[in-house]
Amino acid sequence: MSSSSLTLTSDPHHPHQDYDRLKEVKQFDDSKLGVKGLLDSGLASSSSIPLIFHHPPDSQPGPIPHTRPTHTHHSIPIVDFSAPKPILTDQITRAASTVGFFQITNHGIPLHVIQRTLAAVKSFNELPAEIKTAHYHREVGRGVTFSTNVDLYQSKAASWRDTLQMRVSPVPPNPSDIPEVVREELLEWNEEVERIGKRVLGFLSEGLGVEEGRLKEMTCLEGRTMVAHYYPYCPRPDLTYGLTSHTDPGVVTVLVQNEVRGLQVKVGEEWVDVEPVEGAVVINIGDILQIISNDEYKSVEHRVLANPLQEPRVSVAVFCNPSNRDGLFGPLPELVLQEKPARYRQFTLSDYLQRFFKKELDGKTLTNYYRL
């Protein structure tokens, strides 16, 4: 479908009398334009965006200030990975137990590797539409997908971002399925994440009082999926989001971001910016690790605001999950005590992931579902 044949309702006050959201979602998806393509084709003007991106009035972000408050009650910890091991273990344990997010610096990944990875993702998203549309599909079984919103058909409203997603482990993708402009960079980044993820899981294991290799032995690093998000300029960031509030379903997430802000973490009732720090890697706790830790570690809600700037926001996240689909997961036996019984029932990863992909990205429904 060409952009000239795509018509999407933009005015919430005067929608077509026969406005059919699902029809417009499918029309947009079938166009394979993505959000960047909407901008390039003129289908998103300086004053409007298609109605399928308008979030319900009670959940819209509202006006986004050009400047953010410099003083908040909370901040996201920054952990220096060159510190002595006891200090590192203590800082990571404290961060994982409270805000569920932290940034690491001096981690040994060269800055140019991070910059090259983010630049490659930006380059892919800024390719001519006819090249990108060849990669646009939702067939997860192929290992590599490019689309707008993984939950496009389940969500109440779409969010303003395009995503290149690929499964990297335990079954690596066919290199020819990865767009050439990002192929070398993303495969190299996966290797860096595996190395840094092993160290992070070691500290998190020791913070729980179990052997350093405990989480790794549970295959918690072996099932990895990479998502490269591109958040172009949004003409109406007061009506939509870049990514709605959610928690990550896995064990830990390893993320790098460019200098454009947008990522926020909910700490108490306050939304706190994860300030871009050059060369830093962002780590956050996922729902499975909250369950495994029997609530010692916290998986917290986070979101990305729609981007009000002309410069795009780019991020690459790797979700580290167990590869053992049929084994049982639940609180570690070592952490279940008479004074602190198991707070979750056991489940298989297959059942867990099946439930996750049937819902929209919204809140902490999975930890609540398995809670005793």
Side-chain angles (χ1 to χ4, degrees), residues 46-316:
S46 60
S47 61
S48 69
I49 56 176
L51 196 55
I52 62 171
F53 292 94
H54 291 217
H55 285 251
D58 62 345
S59 63
Q60 288 174 358
I64 295 177
H66 291 290
T67 58
R68 305 277 177 84
T70 53
H71 298 292
T72 63
H73 294 102
H74 305 282
S75 62
I76 305 305
I78 296 177
V79 177
D80 184 346
F81 242 43
S82 65
K85 188 175 180 181
I87 293 175
L88 270 179
T89 303
D90 178 65
Q91 289 182 345
I92 288 174
T93 302
R94 197 178 320 131
S97 304
T98 53
V99 295
F101 265 74
F102 54 95
Q103 301 200 65
I104 56 176
T105 58
N106 295 321
H107 39 62
I109 302 174
L111 177 60
H112 70 85
V113 172
I114 294 173
Q115 292 174 333
R116 192 166 65 221
T117 302
L118 294 169
V121 171
K122 182 174 184 287
S123 296
F124 167 74
N125 282 276
E126 294 173 359
L127 288 171
E130 59 269 20
I131 298 177
K132 283 194 299 179
T133 54
H135 297 282
Y136 193 104
H137 68 88
R138 296 182 181 276
E139 299 169 41
V140 179
R142 282 167 58 177
V144 182
T145 66
F146 172 59
S147 65
T148 295
N149 294 207
V150 67
D151 62 341
L152 182 66
Y153 290 92
Q154 291 84 24
S155 61
K156 298 179 188 72
S159 295
W160 202 256
R161 75 178 184 284
D162 295 325
T163 301
L164 181 67
Q165 175 173 315
M166 68 180 194
R167 180 192 62 236
V168 289
S169 176
V171 181
N174 184 333
S176 63
D177 288 337
I178 308 171
E180 187 176 1
V181 69
V182 293
R183 188 179 301 155
E184 181 181 330
E185 290 82 1
L186 294 188
L187 290 174
E188 180 184 18
W189 182 243
N190 173 51
E191 293 176 4
E192 296 287 359
V193 169
E194 183 176 20
R195 184 177 64 78
I196 207 76
K198 181 180 177 182
R199 292 190 66 194
V200 169
L201 286 185
F203 290 121
L204 289 168
S205 294
E206 292 191 325
L208 292 173
V210 298
E211 291 293 323
E212 182 180 357
R214 186 74 161 92
L215 291 172
K216 187 172 183 297
E217 288 163 7
M218 295 172 65
T219 74
C220 288
L221 187 60
E222 291 177 16
R224 295 190 303 283
T225 298
M226 183 181 297
V227 293
H229 292 312
Y230 181 89
Y231 304 87
Y233 163 69
C234 181
R236 293 298 305 271
D238 56 321
L239 298 178
T240 191
Y241 289 91
L243 188 60
T244 51
S245 176
H246 67 287
T247 57
D248 290 345
V251 179
V252 293
T253 302
V254 180
L255 176 139
V256 284
Q257 58 181 343
N258 71 348
E259 69 282 0
V260 178
R261 287 168 154 183
L263 176 60
Q264 295 185 321
V265 177
K266 194 171 188 182
V267 184
E269 294 304 310
E270 185 178 15
W271 285 102
V272 179
D273 288 313
V274 181
E275 296 286 353
V277 175
E278 188 177 55
V281 174
V282 181
I283 307 289
N284 68 277
I285 306 303
D287 289 349
I288 289 179
L289 185 52
Q290 177 171 324
I291 292 170
I292 287 174
S293 74
N294 206 27
D295 281 348
E296 289 297 320
Y297 292 153
K298 303 293 185 286
S299 171
V300 299
E301 289 190 49
H302 51 286
R303 68 184 186 184
V304 178
L305 298 176
N307 178 17
L309 306 176
Q310 293 296 329
E311 179 67 18
R313 171 178 166 81
V314 180
S315 68
V316 179

Side-chain angles (χ1 to χ4, degrees), residues 307-364:
N307 178 17
L309 306 176
Q310 293 296 329
E311 179 67 18
R313 171 178 166 81
V314 180
S315 68
V316 179
V318 178
F319 304 114
C320 301
N321 305 304
S323 61
N324 181 1
R325 293 291 183 101
D326 300 318
L328 287 173
F329 289 88
L332 289 174
E334 303 97 307
L335 303 181
V336 177
L337 306 169
Q338 188 172 356
E339 60 271 23
K340 188 178 181 182
R343 296 183 175 177
Y344 300 91
R345 56 193 170 91
Q346 293 189 318
F347 55 87
T348 65
L349 192 65
S350 295
D351 177 72
Y352 182 88
L353 293 176
Q354 191 177 23
R355 292 182 187 282
F356 176 77
F357 286 111
K358 282 182 179 175
K359 71 182 188 70
E360 66 175 319
L361 287 171
D362 183 27
K364 284 179 69 76

